[in-house]
Amino acid sequence: MKVSLVKKLSLGFILAVLGSIILASAISNYTVGNKFKDYLVDEHKEKIDNAVKIIDDLYGGQKNFSQINNDEIQRYAELQELYIEIRDLNDNTIYTSGKSYLQHRGMMGNGNMIGPMAGMMRNYSGINMGEYTEENYPLNIDEKEEGKIIVGYFGTSYLSSASVTFISTLNHSFLISAIAALIFGVIISIIISRQISKPLAKITETANEMRKGNLNVKAVVNSSTKEIVELSDSMNYLVESLNSQEMLRKRLTSDMAHELRTPLTTLKTHIEAFADGIWEPNSERFEVFFEEIDRMTKMIDDLRDLSKLEQTSIGLNKSRIDISKELEKIIYTFKPLYSKENYELDTSITPNIVTMIDVDKFKQIITNLLSNSYKYLKPNGKVKVELKNENENVVIKVIDNGIGIPEKDIPYIFERFYRSDLSRNKKTGGSGIGLTITKALVEAHGGNIYLESKINQGTKFTIHFPLNN
């Protein structure tokens, strides 16, 4: 049986609160009970010690016991609810406070007035309320024992009315506090549970919409919980990513259809012309066939290369090289191509930068970038290549003043087969995976590649390689 998050969290909070209340009450009750019992015993002992001291002070130095005024002893006995008796060495009773009020207390202790409270106190402090006890103490006069003092009391003599009231109030306080804490815990648990479950329910609803194929939804949650906000942001990012991937997939299908349709249409047209006798086969027309077939072959090779990059990690054969000299060599091979179209290829290369790198992969990276810039230059175009050491990174920049890339296309320019509308109009446009491969090769070296571009102003590619990777 599945339980909703609200019920599960609420039940968990309530059990935690209830358990805490029971544990805290038990510990507090036990601790206070022991301490209070010790306090009562000490207080009782002090009462008896005071009674003995009063008697010692009254009888001290007196030869005739019958002439002593025992009113102070009587008042103390009644006030402290004690039975006091004084006997001489011959066991004759010299003084007694009388037991009438003690017998009355004993009846009350066994009756209906204090009986329930007495039971509660026995359970609470372990003191017997109804048992009568007598204790004997020596009567010393001038450091000589002249008799004995008998102090009697019921168990209730441990407890004054204030003590009983205190214990009763304390127990009621524990009970009221427990009920109040439980109610408060239930309210807080419900509030917190709803604060957590409500945004999660919204995120779940968004996920269900995504499962149905609706990629235009968005999880909008109002929560101060960091993890829930992060989950919502991740869900929205996932929706945007899937939406972008869906758009790229549709565009890829369209692009591939376009790229394959063009050479196939050309071949079909030429073959129909041959079949109808409109054209005579010659080397020039067969050369067109070859170019179109070669174009499709390159496209298939690009697909295969890209598949290898995506399926397995790129194997690098690194070696320690002077990247400055290597970059100059690559640029030198492009100089004639640029000069043929009256393009300018400038450099600003910091010499003697040495790092670990795969030379062949590095050549492929730079070749792809220079070829890309070459394709989209305008008349009298210019490309500048920079190399420098910056913050423990090898920084390479390829800057051109070509046709640029629309801002809406920049986030997708490294996606496979993605080509902006402007590049699609160029006859020299490639398959659209050259930059995808370039990015994969750069990242395989632990580096990053960045793109900046503006329409009719040009494009700048920036590569960061770790200096010692």
Side-chain angles (χ1 to χ4, degrees), residues 63-90:
K63 301 299 183 181
N64 188 355
F65 292 161
S66 62
Q67 298 178 354
I68 295 176
N69 187 352
N70 294 310
D71 291 344
E72 183 178 356
I73 300 175
Q74 186 69 28
R75 286 195 300 271
Y76 188 82
E78 293 180 3
L79 178 65
Q80 300 298 337
E81 300 174 345
L82 298 174
Y83 167 71
I84 298 177
E85 183 180 349
I86 303 173
R87 296 182 181 180
D88 60 16
L89 294 177
N90 296 321

Side-chain angles (χ1 to χ4, degrees), residues 264-280 289:
L264 289 175
T265 300
T266 301
L267 292 173
K268 181 181 178 182
T269 303
H270 282 57
I271 292 173
E272 287 177 348
F274 290 151
D276 295 340
I278 299 174
W279 283 355
E280 290 291 333
F289 276 32

Side-chain angles (χ1 to χ4, degrees), residues 65-216:
F65 292 161
S66 62
Q67 298 178 354
I68 295 176
N69 187 352
N70 294 310
D71 291 344
E72 183 178 356
I73 300 175
Q74 186 69 28
R75 286 195 300 271
Y76 188 82
E78 293 180 3
L79 178 65
Q80 300 298 337
E81 300 174 345
L82 298 174
Y83 167 71
I84 298 177
E85 183 180 349
I86 303 173
R87 296 182 181 180
D88 60 16
L89 294 177
N90 296 321
D91 206 26
N92 298 317
T93 300
I94 300 172
Y95 163 80
T96 177
S97 62
K99 296 185 178 181
S100 59
Y101 71 94
L102 282 178
Q103 292 171 353
H104 177 63
R105 274 185 56 83
M107 291 172 62
M108 291 179 66
N110 294 321
N112 295 326
M113 182 177 296
I114 304 180
M117 184 62 71
M120 180 187 73
M121 293 309 302
R122 276 196 297 269
N123 292 334
Y124 182 80
S125 60
I127 298 172
N128 190 337
M129 299 291 295
E131 181 181 352
Y132 178 76
T133 305
E134 287 187 351
E135 296 178 2
N136 297 330
Y137 297 91
L139 174 61
N140 296 319
I141 300 175
D142 295 331
E143 299 182 356
K144 181 179 178 182
E145 185 176 347
E146 298 292 344
K148 65 179 178 180
I149 304 170
I150 300 172
V151 180
Y153 56 87
F154 280 96
T156 52
S157 64
Y158 279 94
L159 301 172
S160 64
S161 59
S163 301
V164 173
T165 302
F166 170 77
I167 294 297
S168 176
T169 304
L170 185 63
N171 283 330
H172 279 87
S173 298
F174 277 135
L175 180 61
I176 294 172
S177 299
I179 294 173
L182 184 60
I183 294 173
F184 180 76
V186 170
I187 295 173
I188 294 300
S189 66
I190 293 174
I191 293 174
I192 294 177
S193 299
R194 288 182 177 177
Q195 287 180 345
I196 294 175
S197 62
K198 188 174 180 180
L200 289 178
K202 180 63 178 178
I203 294 173
T204 302
E205 181 182 344
T206 303
N208 289 332
E209 288 294 319
M210 291 171 56
R211 186 172 60 180
K212 295 176 183 177
N214 183 7
L215 299 180
N216 294 318

Side-chain angles (χ1 to χ4, degrees), residues 51 89 138 278 280 286 343 348 368 379 404:
L89 294 177
I278 299 174
E280 290 291 333
F286 281 121
Y343 295 154
S348 175
N368 285 347

